[in-house]
Amino acid sequence: MNDYDSDKIADVLRASEGITLTDKPEDADIILFNTCSIREKAEEKVFSDLGRVRPLKLAKPDLIIGVGGCVASQEGASIFRRAPYVDVIFGPQTLHRLPELIAARRASGRMQMDISFPEIEKFDSLPAPQVAGGSAYVSIMEGCSKFCTFCVVPYTRGDEISRPLDDVMRDIRGLAAQGVGEITLLGQNVNAYAGDLEDGETADLAYLIRTIAAQEGIQRVRYMTSHPREMTPRLIELFGDTPKLANHLHLPVQCGSDRVLAAMQRGYTALEYKSIVRKIRALRPDISITSDFIVGFPGETESDFEATMKLIEDVQFDMSFSFLYSPRPGTPAAEMADEVSYETKMARLKRLKTRIDELENAYSEKMVGTVQRVAVEGISKKDERELAGRTDNNRVVNFAGPAELVGRFVEVKILAVSMHTLRGELAGAV
Ligand code: SAH
Ligand code: SF4
């Protein structure tokens, strides 16, 4: 989501001020930090990063320094107090107002801040998406109204709000015309999508995906992130009848203990989660299911943790992210009693990570020898003579091939697994 927002920030400033991106802070006229506050570590980083650019501002007083994203949204004016050389502060929903904020800063000489939630206005003010490769992200909804007790997102990004279906389709037709074959629909909880239709009705995510799959030029559709509570029968059905839907679903479960799930206010039990997975696998037996886990939620007992490990065995997740619980100011869980020691939590996290890595590896090994449909995303980061692409189940694969294939779908035979990437060879175009 933040990567996507960063691209939009660059689009907005390119359109308004003709800026180009630079990797060298010394060359920049504008330095912006797009921040994340999902966990404490991410949040602290911004202040050390700001300290590093401070000398540049002293050397070049016209330099504009800005802080955006969720830390800006949460901390607001206190950023100015800690770092008085900051010029503009903007939130995830006001990044489109950056040109005006920067102009006001230059005209008035005073710092500017806008961290409001002007709802859908942001989408209406963004320039049409431009992409280089064959794959693009399209944001379809913003914010979150779920209020899981550990999470800061509803406070920093505001309530769930969906873009009208016609607006989303306009972007997608534009992307398809530029040669984009793969679309990833983005949002905090994409499956809560409820987009207005022209006739006054509302489209759900299943309807949107069917509409996209019918669009000429589009070959593959994915979505992230989805919430188990809204994996509706209509969405599950799509795995059976829409081949363009990628063979991968990221469905964060967080943990396997019903007691902890209730304390988190996730709105499902481990059994309900497993039953969703069972229904999806009945339609797509080889689908890759990935998840997020939080270890060390306040009061997590040994048996709660064992329930999570059991869920991992029951579901056999492919690739997952796992995090140590991080108390976020203002969230209910931050007030909950927590007697479990840091060492115990770290030991649990390590055990969980080891197991999910083993499963990831086992799935990768099973892919060796198979031919995969790969969206070629660009030149390999490790070796300029190679291409990098993404398989249906979201793995990066490197293989030798001509640069003209970037943006296309090809068939790649998987030859070997190394760490988190695959190696392969071209087996033909799709
Ligand atoms: N909307 C998505 C998740 C968005 S946040 C969902 O509900 O599934 C991405 C991930 O960050 C979450 O799935 C969770 O695992 C992790 N996360 C969120 N808040 C956290 C916290 N306070 N401490 C540790 N991990 C957290
Ligand atoms: Fe955070 Fe996701 Fe829960 Fe929303 S649904 S509060 S984004 S974890």
Side-chain angles (χ1 to χ4, degrees):
M1 200 81 209
N2 267 36
D3 275 350
Y4 178 85
D5 281 354
S6 295
D7 286 346
K8 295 297 136 188
I9 291 171
D11 287 351
V12 164
L13 292 178
R14 193 178 298 118
S16 73
E17 319 227 339
I19 63 128
T20 52
L21 288 170
T22 173
D23 289 335
K24 298 202 196 82
E26 317 81 65
D27 292 348
D29 301 307
I30 303 174
I31 297 180
L32 301 173
F33 294 97
N34 188 18
T35 63
C36 174
S37 64
I38 194 84
R39 286 170 292 275
E40 191 178 5
K41 237 194 188 146
E43 177 161 343
E44 265 167 15
K45 212 170 166 295
V46 65
F47 289 102
S48 60
D49 285 344
L50 277 170
R52 281 197 293 114
V53 298
R54 187 180 187 183
L56 299 177
K57 177 86 176 182
L58 294 173
K60 188 161 143 192
D62 287 345
L63 176 68
I64 296 281
I65 297 180
V67 179
C70 289
V71 176
S73 177
Q74 181 138 32
E75 301 290 321
S78 74
I79 294 175
F80 290 135
R81 287 194 284 277
R82 263 179 87 171
Y85 45 92
V86 167
D87 300 289
V88 290
I89 292 182
F90 56 101
Q93 310 310 16
T94 49
L95 58 89
H96 60 286
R97 293 182 181 167
L98 257 175
E100 292 95 81
L101 287 169
I102 292 174
R105 168 68 182 85
R106 286 185 175 138
S108 70
R110 279 196 302 273
M111 48 186 76
Q112 301 291 321
M113 176 167 92
D114 185 350
I115 50 171
S116 58
F117 298 131
E119 304 225 313
I120 210 78
E121 179 195 288
K122 168 170 138 187
F123 293 118
D124 294 341
S125 334
L126 292 174
Q130 296 282 322
V131 284
S135 183
Y137 290 107
V138 174
S139 174
I140 60 167
M141 57 85 67
E142 270 280 345
C144 179
S145 312
K146 302 284 186 293
F147 290 93
C148 302
T149 54
F150 54 81
C151 185
V152 79
V153 170
Y155 309 94
T156 58
R157 285 191 181 260
D159 272 339
E160 282 165 4
I161 168 123
S162 299
R163 296 174 68 190
L165 183 117
D166 278 352
D167 288 5
V168 175
M169 286 312 296
R170 193 181 342 103
D171 278 2
I172 287 175
R173 279 193 300 272
L175 290 166
Q178 290 176 57
V180 171
E182 179 175 62
I183 299 285
T184 301
L185 302 174
L186 268 191
Q188 287 306 331
N189 292 297
V190 270
N191 52 356
Y193 178 77
D196 289 344
L197 290 171
E198 273 187 340
D199 58 7
E201 299 277 309
T202 307
D204 64 358
L205 180 64
Y207 184 85
L208 175 63
I209 291 171
R210 286 190 195 282
T211 313
I212 297 170
Q215 169 65 44
E216 208 188 309
I218 300 298
Q219 303 192 46
R220 190 153 78 187
V221 188
R222 328 172 167 270
Y223 53 93
M224 348 179 258
T225 300
S226 13
H227 195 293
R229 212 154 84 191
E230 278 153 331
M231 260 340 271
T232 59
R234 281 172 52 81
L235 268 176
I236 294 174
E237 237 170 63
L238 283 178
F239 288 104
D241 64 20
T242 307
K244 285 184 183 174
L245 190 58
N247 216 12
H248 170 230
L249 176 68
H250 186 63
L251 193 63
V253 66
Q254 312 301 355
C255 83
S257 151
D258 290 343
R259 197 187 66 81
V260 176
L261 284 169
M264 289 176 163
Q265 271 174 34
R266 289 288 292 181
Y268 52 85
T269 61
L271 191 64
E272 281 163 344
Y273 184 91
K274 283 194 282 188
S275 134
I276 296 168
V277 171
R278 189 163 20 85
K279 285 179 195 149
I280 294 171
R281 284 201 172 132
L283 299 167
R284 289 258 187 115
D286 58 347
I287 192 170
S288 146
I289 308 252
T290 60
S291 183
D292 292 348
F293 293 92
I294 294 181
V295 171
F297 186 80
E300 179 191 73
T301 63
E302 205 54 42
S303 73
D304 290 327
F305 178 68
E306 290 302 336
T308 301
M309 294 303 292
K310 176 165 185 305
L311 182 76
I312 293 173
E313 293 314 314
D314 289 350
V315 175
Q316 297 279 303
F317 290 99
D318 178 356
M319 285 204 270
S320 290
F321 299 104
S322 53
F323 312 102
L324 195 67
Y325 166 71
S326 168
R328 306 315 296 129
T331 60
E335 310 295 317
M336 294 178 189
D338 184 12
E339 267 103 52
V340 186
S341 73
Y342 178 76
E343 288 68 33
T344 305
K345 290 177 184 176
M346 283 309 283
R348 285 178 189 163
L349 182 65
K350 199 169 157 222
R351 211 181 119 198
L352 183 138
K353 273 190 192 297
T354 305
R355 187 60 192 133
I356 59 183
D357 275 357
E358 281 169 10
L359 285 172
E360 173 180 343
N361 235 319
Y363 276 106
S364 293
E365 292 289 349
K366 264 198 256 169
M367 290 170 74
V368 173
T370 65
V371 173
Q372 299 282 327
R373 189 169 59 140
V374 168
V376 188
E377 293 186 341
I379 307 294
S380 160
K381 280 189 205 130
K382 288 186 201 135
D383 183 345
E384 278 176 9
R385 290 160 302 179
E386 298 219 321
L387 300 174
R390 217 165 264 277
T391 63
D392 232 18
N393 61 350
N394 219 18
R395 276 169 167 69
V396 175
V397 50
N398 295 318
F399 56 97
E404 297 86 79
L405 291 179
V406 173
R408 303 250 291 274
F409 276 83
V410 292
E411 289 197 331
V412 174
K413 184 169 183 194
I414 307 302
L415 301 175
V417 187
S418 68
M419 293 299 287
H420 293 282
T421 52
L422 304 172
R423 295 208 45 75
E425 66 181 11
L426 268 178
V430 175

